[in-house]
Structures are given as structure tokens and as C-alpha cells.
Amino acid sequence: MAPVLGFALVAALGLGLFGVMRPKSFFALGMLVMLLERTLALHVPGGAVDYLDEIFVAACAVLFPLHRLARKKALRGLPGQIPMTAFLLAGVASSIINAVPFGVAGQGMLLIAKGFILAWGVAQLDWLHEDLRRLAKQSAAVAITLILGAVVNFLFPGPWSSIVLAGQGYGGRFGLTPVTSFFQHPGYFGTVMALSCLAALAHASVFRVSKTTMFIIVGSLVAAFWSARRKIFVGLAAAVATLGIRLRWTPLLVIALVGLPILLIVAWGAVANIVVYTYAEYFVNPDAVARVRLTIDSVGIAANALPFGAGFGRFGSAVARQNYSPLYYQLGYPNVWGLGNTEESGTFLTDTFWPAIIGETGLLGTIFFIAILATIFRLFFRLTKQTADWDRWLGLVGVAWSVQLLVESVAGAVYTAVPTFALFFAVVGIAAARGQMTHANHLADKLPEDKERRKMFSRSSS
């Protein structure tokens, strides 16, 4: 045991030093791990991998501020800090009123706050235009790898499932056989592909359209469709339409408005199956649908505890599932399919996001959380008005991702689950840094300490 602990300590110190000395490389490596954390968990026993996201968030929140302070710079704030603080206070008050155990309430609060902690840590770094360009290239390489992985997965589903998913597989949906590429679940793969498609569309609207960009757009769009997830389809349509309206870019509006009828005609069989299935699921017997039941009950809980909620870790969250909230017994959830008190029978306890906000923090918390998302959207929107190309691209990515994930939040815990929380809030942190650098009138190419780096970058590019 002692040698293992010694090795772990040395490794932690080494990673900590790496994070302080090369924070952006540490960030890129950590984001790649976040992307594949769930898949890694299938191959590493003991459950240690499940805590990698919390470890990464903590590392960013400690190491990146240290890096900034070492350069004798003041720490940055994060847009939305005031409503975020008010939201947490509403949750804490709800927890105290309902006598939620400290450990449970603490876990629940950290679960919802970890994205904002990550964003704050990332915002402490000075993200230059060359950094955004490098991130875009790295992200493009990852997207291409995921698309190619999906192709191999589609052609050889059996061997792929055995090697990548450790034998885990998924049945067909709406006449489609879902692909997962390097992900543990087709839903996560589909969402990441949707985000990849939107980032590539934003890039094409700001810079020239290259073959690589077109490959990512088309490949990601097909992969997202093949995930057979309705929330992803709707989110993509809304996000693409938002980009088209913001840019007044006719091709995007054509994709969103004309492409939909074409899709209905070409894939009518699958679309018809989706419509019939959705109607039967949500309108024939809605009380039997997990996310509908959770949403209705969360409103009832908030109404009874007005203006507060049941407290952190008590309803709709992963913590409430892990500890199986006493409220679930009162509501009869052990007898509802997908909401049971075992690993197998409780698979849908976190099948949506908003019941956790409404049920745990009440009306006050819900209002403050919506204010947080509005503040973040405003941050992204402001960046779309910048003259610098990379700032505009970053802002457009943020606007599109905000719409995509807001739609998906109705049917998934996107703001707290890996990998979506890490992807979204990392972009929030970078955008916050760029916004404040622009506001302070010392953009990347005007920072004295970065002039030499910019010259070196220009020479290496040429």
C-alpha cells in the first residue's frame, strides 16, 4: 500500500507542477479525459474513474489561479456570480429548512456548482487568439477521430462493442441502430457530434470553408442523426436557426428551414416512427414517463415549500439517486418504471435536468438559475459583435451551444453530467477571459508580455 500511495503522491505533484507551468496543455489533456471518462470507467474497475471530473475541476480551480497570481495578476471574476451566489443561497436555505444532512446537501451543491467552478478556473488564464486557433485545430482532430470511429462502429458493431464498450451494447431505435464511436452511450456521442457540427458551422461563417470543415459539418450531422435521439434533432434545428438569424447567413437558414422538410421526405419512415412513439409515450400515459413524472412532482414540491425547495441532494439530481431520497418513497417511485431504488430499476432518475433545480431550490432557485443562463448567453452574444475573427467564432459557438444544451436539458442533465458540463463551462470560462481582456483594452496582440509569443507564432505559421 505504501508504494502505491507514494507513486500516487508523486504523480499528483507532477501533474500539479504541469498544471501550473503549462496550464493550457494541462487543460487540453484534461478535457480529452473528460470527453472519454465514461468509456474509461468501463475498463477501469473500482469506480476511481468516476471522480476524474471532480478532480479535474478542483485542479483547474486551484492551479490556474496560482498560475495567474504567480504572474502578479489579479484574479478574474465570472459573469453571473451574483445570481449564482443567490441560487446557492436558495439551495442552502432549502436544505436547512428541510434538515437535509450536511453530507448530502454538500454533495448536491457541489454537483450543480462544479461547472461554474470550472469556468472560473479556466477564466484565470489569458486566452490569446493563437490559443483559440490551436484549440480549434485540436478539437477538429478529435471530431474527425470520433467520426471515423463511428464509421468503424457502424461497419463492425460486434467487435467494436467488445473492444471499446467492454461488451456493452444498445438496441435499435426508430429503425436505426445507434452508434457510439468512442463513447459509452449513443446519447452522449450524439450530443458531442451536434456540438461539433455547430462549432464547425460557426467556423465556416467566420473563416473560409475548407474541406476539413465541410467534412466535420457533414460527418457530425450524420453521426448526430444516427444517435437516434429526439432531443438532439430538435436542439440542432433550434441552434442552427439561431446561428442563421444572428448571422443573417442564408445557408444556415436554408439548412434549418428547408432541410427539415427534405429530411421528413427522405427519412419519413423513421420520422413517422418517432412521432408515433413520442405521442404514445407522452400523451397516452404521461404519468408513467419518468421525466414527465419528475417534472410534475418537482413543481408540486416547489409549490408546497414556496419560495424554497426540498434542499440540495433531495430530488431529481444524481445525489438524490445515489442516496435514494426519502421523497422518492413518499411519492411512490419504487413502483414507477425507471424510478426505482436499485441500479437497474432507477436508470431514469436523472433523465432530465430541470426537476432538480425546481424541486431542490424552489421558485427562487429556478429564477436565479435562469438568470445565470441568461447572463452566460449575453456574454456569448457580446463576443459575436467583436471585430476579431476568433472572438466572433467563440461567441457564435457559445450562442449555438447554449441553445443546443438548453433544448437537451429537458431530457438530460447536461449542465452537471460528463462530458457536456465540462465542454460548455470550459467555453464559458474562455469567453469570460476574452470578454474581460477585450473590455480592459489589452487584447492578446496588445499584451506586452505576449508580443514576442505572437511574433514567434507568426513566424511559425509562415
Side-chain angles (χ1 to χ4, degrees), residues 421-443:
F421 98 88
L423 293 171
F424 179 69
F425 285 105
V427 173
V428 171
I430 296 173
R434 288 301 308 167
Q436 293 181 45
M437 291 166 70
T438 303
H439 183 70
N441 198 28
H442 56 90
L443 289 167

Side-chain angles (χ1 to χ4, degrees), residues 25-91:
S25 298
F26 177 86
F27 167 80
L29 178 61
M31 290 302 296
L32 181 61
V33 173
M34 293 300 95
L35 204 62
L36 302 176
E37 178 182 321
R38 292 179 181 273
T39 306
L40 293 173
L42 297 175
H43 300 273
V44 180
V49 174
D50 295 334
Y51 296 98
L52 285 179
D53 54 321
E54 283 86 358
I55 294 173
F56 177 64
V57 169
C60 291
V62 173
L63 300 179
F64 295 171
L66 287 177
H67 173 81
R68 186 167 186 81
L69 291 173
R71 301 175 70 187
K72 301 186 185 306
K73 293 185 176 183
L75 296 179
R76 291 192 176 106
L78 192 68
Q81 285 185 159
I82 294 177
M84 182 63 193
T85 302
F87 167 77
L88 293 177
L89 288 175

Side-chain angles (χ1 to χ4, degrees), residues 223-283:
F225 175 78
W226 223 266
S227 69
R229 292 304 183 272
R230 293 162 292 181
K231 60 181 180 180
I232 296 174
F233 307 157
V234 178
L236 262 176
V240 170
T242 302
L243 280 180
I245 293 171
R246 176 66 190 93
L247 294 167
R248 298 183 177 87
W249 200 33
T250 303
L252 284 182
L253 291 175
V254 169
I255 291 174
L257 302 178
V258 179
L260 181 59
I262 294 176
L263 178 63
L264 290 175
I265 295 172
V266 174
W268 175 250
V271 172
N273 288 336
I274 293 173
V275 172
V276 172
Y277 181 84
T278 303
Y279 176 81
E281 181 180 13
Y282 288 99
F283 295 98

Side-chain angles (χ1 to χ4, degrees), residues 321 324 328 333-343 345-349:
R321 179 187 63 186
Y324 206 76
Y328 293 166
Y333 282 6
N335 301 318
V336 179
W337 183 73
L339 302 180
N341 55 1
T342 66
E343 189 70 25
S345 64
T347 53
F348 297 142
L349 283 167

